[in-house]
Amino acid sequence: MLVTGGAGFIGSHACVELLDHGYEVIVVDDYANSTPHVFARVERIAGRFVGAVYELDLRDRRALSAVFDRHSVDAVMHFAALKSVSGSLEAPVEYYDTNVGGTTALLRTMHEHGVHRLVFSSSGAVYGDAGPGLLDESAPVRPANPYAASKWLCEQILADVCRRRPEYTVLCMRYFNPAGAHPSGLLGEDPHGVPGNLVPYVAQVAVGRRERLHIFGGDYPTPDGTAIRDYIHVMDTVEAHRVALDHLSDGPGMRVFNIGLGQGSSVLDVVAVFSETCGVQVPYDIVPRRPGDVAHVVADASAVTLAWGWRPARNLADICRDAWRFQQLNPRGYAGAGRGPDSKR
Ligand code: UDP
């Protein structure tokens, strides 16, 4: 199994899940928002080694092709992408180039090597501002920022490929807001610089690494005025990906699934549940809305349960508890965590 972006937040948890279930795992990552230190942790949790790790940008097709030459890859989990909404507004071309260009380079390389099975990391962000209902997979797609648009472009490319080439099977996982951490506290979300995502920011405020949370917008048309999202535990997210692998042989074509909890939580809900579950205060200020954000994005995630019998097992309190454990055990994230004491190599 080739995992792109395997050093990142979701990718690293996916590596653990795959190793735990007997898969051989090969990783490519350019460490744009991650670190190779994570693999010692992955291997420690799984009690197995990652088969090989390559530092490369997917758009470097020669380097990527060499990986496919060296290993017998039967399927790909494609996580590698830039994922910040505000980053995408600042650098749209970089986002399209990395996310779309990375995906087309991967597809060309897969094609050259006769690999036709892909699990693609898409996003609930493709739905945009859809109002207060639950979004099922047939809801209209209205990406509200270049990040979301880049994911939607990738989906359309993948759908086209599947329409024209019957040998391809693609499972497109539109996940909503993955957060939390591995229950060991060894693996979690450790973005470079200031976290753009809510839960790691909250955890860094709680541990004293940042002073106050800025809540982006208190004037949304929601019950408490703050924006509502569907937070799903990262372990549930990667379990869904592993279950997806069992269904790559169900038949050719592309299928799209929402991966969410199906429950909306406002920013203030997240702060309250975090404070209550972890017994720690999270001081905050309400500031103007963040450009590119929308009021309400919550999944109807019943299709995946109907199709595969899989459903998430963890709630927002579990997300907060696990994120907090990771933050407490790693107040500075993975920084300085050498391969030394963590490593089994
Ligand atoms: N958010 C916030 N303060 C932060 C980070 C995020 O108020 O420091 C809000 C953001 O405006 C959104 C929600 O938290 O309403 C989730 O944001 P995140 O970036 O985690 O995910 P997104 O849904 O934007 O992909």
Side-chain angles (χ1 to χ4, degrees), residues 12-345:
S12 59
H13 289 76
C15 288
V16 169
E17 179 73 11
L18 292 171
L19 290 170
D20 276 350
H21 287 80
Y23 288 91
E24 292 301 316
V25 175
I26 308 298
V27 171
V28 297
D29 202 300
D30 69 353
Y31 306 127
N33 193 27
S34 61
T35 159
H37 294 315
V38 79
F39 295 114
R41 309 281 188 100
V42 166
E43 291 170 348
R44 186 166 149 194
I45 296 168
R48 289 182 59 208
F49 290 129
V50 174
V53 177
Y54 296 91
E55 179 174 0
L56 62 83
D57 184 318
L58 291 179
R59 291 165 296 180
D60 181 351
R61 282 174 46 216
R62 185 181 298 204
L64 185 60
S65 193
V67 174
F68 279 76
D69 284 339
R70 210 163 300 143
H71 301 276
S72 106
V73 175
D74 62 347
V76 180
M77 271 195 189
H78 178 30
F79 295 103
L82 296 173
K83 64 160 189 175
S84 150
V85 168
S86 45
S88 79
L89 291 167
E90 279 158 30
V93 177
E94 196 186 335
Y95 267 67
Y96 287 117
D97 195 19
T98 305
N99 294 1
V100 182
T103 300
T104 53
L106 174 65
L107 284 169
R108 290 181 74 166
T109 311
M110 286 172 62
H111 185 70
E112 282 159 16
H113 291 81
V115 180
H116 304 123
R117 304 193 314 154
L118 177 71
V119 182
F120 176 65
S121 174
S122 188
S123 171
V126 297
Y127 298 113
D129 207 351
L134 299 185
L135 297 159
D136 69 22
E137 291 81 354
S138 67
V141 166
R142 282 184 283 240
N145 52 65
Y147 161 70
S150 74
K151 288 290 180 183
W152 175 232
L153 280 171
C154 290
E155 283 200 19
Q156 291 172 88
I157 292 165
L158 291 166
D160 262 350
V161 169
C162 288
R163 264 193 295 272
R164 283 163 181 74
R165 299 199 180 269
E167 64 272 30
Y168 277 83
T169 306
V170 175
L171 297 174
C172 223
M173 316 291 270
R174 286 182 185 161
Y175 31 80
F176 283 61
N177 287 63
H182 190 273
S184 64
L186 285 171
L187 219 54
E189 190 166 10
D190 182 32
H192 292 178
V194 181
N197 292 114
L198 179 64
V199 174
Y201 202 109
V202 167
Q204 290 193 11
V205 171
V207 85
R209 193 165 152 192
R210 312 210 174 264
E211 220 170 290
R212 301 173 80 77
L213 171 69
H214 301 288
I215 294 182
F216 300 132
D219 58 349
Y220 283 105
T222 60
D224 66 21
T226 66
I228 291 177
R229 296 288 182 276
D230 182 340
Y231 296 89
I232 173 141
H233 200 293
V234 65
M235 296 306 297
D236 281 326
T237 310
V238 300
E239 260 177 43
H241 282 72
R242 193 252 312 152
V243 171
L245 294 181
D246 299 337
H247 294 276
L248 273 175
S249 39
D250 286 357
M254 173 155 136
R255 273 162 296 160
V256 178
F257 290 109
N258 286 345
I259 304 297
L261 202 57
Q263 282 168 26
S265 304
S266 71
V267 180
L268 283 172
D269 290 335
V270 172
V271 170
V273 171
F274 194 100
S275 302
E276 199 175 306
T277 312
C278 308
V280 59
Q281 287 310 304
V282 180
Y284 64 83
D285 296 313
I286 296 186
V287 301
R289 295 182 183 188
R290 182 170 68 177
D293 275 353
V294 299
H296 189 279
V297 189
V298 182
D300 173 341
S302 57
V304 70
T305 309
L306 212 61
W308 299 342
W310 178 86
R311 67 176 79 242
R314 302 158 181 89
N315 63 18
L316 182 59
D318 299 318
I319 289 173
C320 293
R321 190 179 305 110
D322 290 337
W324 180 227
R325 186 182 301 112
F326 173 74
Q327 194 65 62
Q328 281 182 298
L329 291 174
N330 307 273
R332 293 190 309 121
Y334 296 125
R339 292 190 81 98
D342 276 339
S343 181
K344 284 187 178 168
R345 281 191 204 278

